[in-house]
Structure formats: C-alpha cells, structure tokens
Amino acid sequence: VQLQASGGGLVQPGGSLTLSCAASGFLVDFYSVAWFRQAPGKEREGVSCISGMDDSTYYSTSVTGRFTMSRDKAKNTVTLHMNNLKPDDTAVYHCATDRGKTCSYGETAWTEFSFWGQGTQVTVSS
C-alpha cells in the first residue's frame, strides 16, 4: 500500500489549492481514505475522510464549508479542494488509509490510519 500526496504550495489568505493523493496497492473505492495535517510543534489533526463503503464525506469543524473531498475511481486518486484558506491551515498534509478503521471512527482515528505516505506542504501567508 502506497499513498503519495501532491499539489501543495504557497497561497495568500483567501486563496485556493487542490491536493491530490495517488494510491497504489489498494483501491480507493473499497477503503476509507483520510487527510490529516501536521503543523510544526502541533499534533496531527484530522481534516477530512471519504468512506470506502459509499461516497460519504466527513470534515473537521475547522474546515467544514471550505474544504471538499472527492474520489476518482478510474484514476485511483483522492482529491481535497481547499477554498478560503487561512494562515491556520498551514501544515504538511498527508493522505492515509486503513484496513480496518473507517471514517466513522472520528477525526482522531483518521490521524492513526495505518498507511500514509510523504505529505505535501501547504503554506498560507501574505
């Protein structure tokens, strides 16, 4: 199982970015896939999750209404569209999956998914 996040960069407050997660070794439509982030000196924070059983999506309260997660089964990728970015969104973003845990386990569980790869840096600054 491998996951590779990409699409990060530097953006001004209020701007948008789209992150992509390329998966291999498993099918994204069969397992829950989550995004979590980690800023320097802070603990991991669950951001969003898309269920492997259906297309249900889950978001942390800090990103609800601003971030949207989707899945492309043909490309075996997961995407995170981020709008109205704030300086507090600055972090390294990772995508992750697990054989047993699902999105319904909650935001903390998303940060503990067993498989995750190198993240992508998102910096929100003027």
Side-chain angles (χ1 to χ4, degrees):
V1 173
Q2 291 187 327
L3 301 103
Q4 179 64 56
S6 62
L10 173 64
V11 63
Q12 292 186 342
S16 300
L17 275 176
T18 297
L19 305 184
S20 182
C21 175
S24 59
F26 74 102
L27 296 177
V28 297
D29 51 339
F30 286 163
Y31 295 95
S32 293
V33 179
W35 288 95
F36 68 85
R37 64 189 182 187
Q38 188 163 25
K42 295 186 177 180
E43 295 186 353
R44 290 182 186 179
E45 177 189 6
V47 174
S48 65
C49 191
I50 187 164
S51 174
M53 301 179 67
D54 52 37
D55 286 333
S56 297
T57 50
Y58 303 74
Y59 302 95
S60 68
T61 54
S62 62
V63 306
T64 295
R66 300 188 297 122
F67 291 12
T68 303
M69 191 172 179
S70 61
R71 174 170 49 208
D72 187 327
K73 298 177 183 180
K75 296 182 179 179
N76 208 36
T77 60
V78 172
T79 299
L80 183 67
H81 300 280
M82 307 186 295
N83 297 317
N84 191 22
L85 283 161
K86 304 176 181 180
D88 284 348
D89 294 319
T90 296
V92 176
Y93 284 69
H94 298 267
C95 52
T97 192
D98 196 276
R99 296 292 192 189
K101 299 184 181 75
T102 65
C103 297
S104 63
Y105 281 47
E107 297 172 22
T108 299
W110 305 344
T111 69
E112 298 169 347
F113 277 9
S114 299
F115 302 99
W116 48 281
Q118 187 173 359
T120 185
Q121 175 71 48
V122 172
T123 303
V124 184
S125 174
S126 54

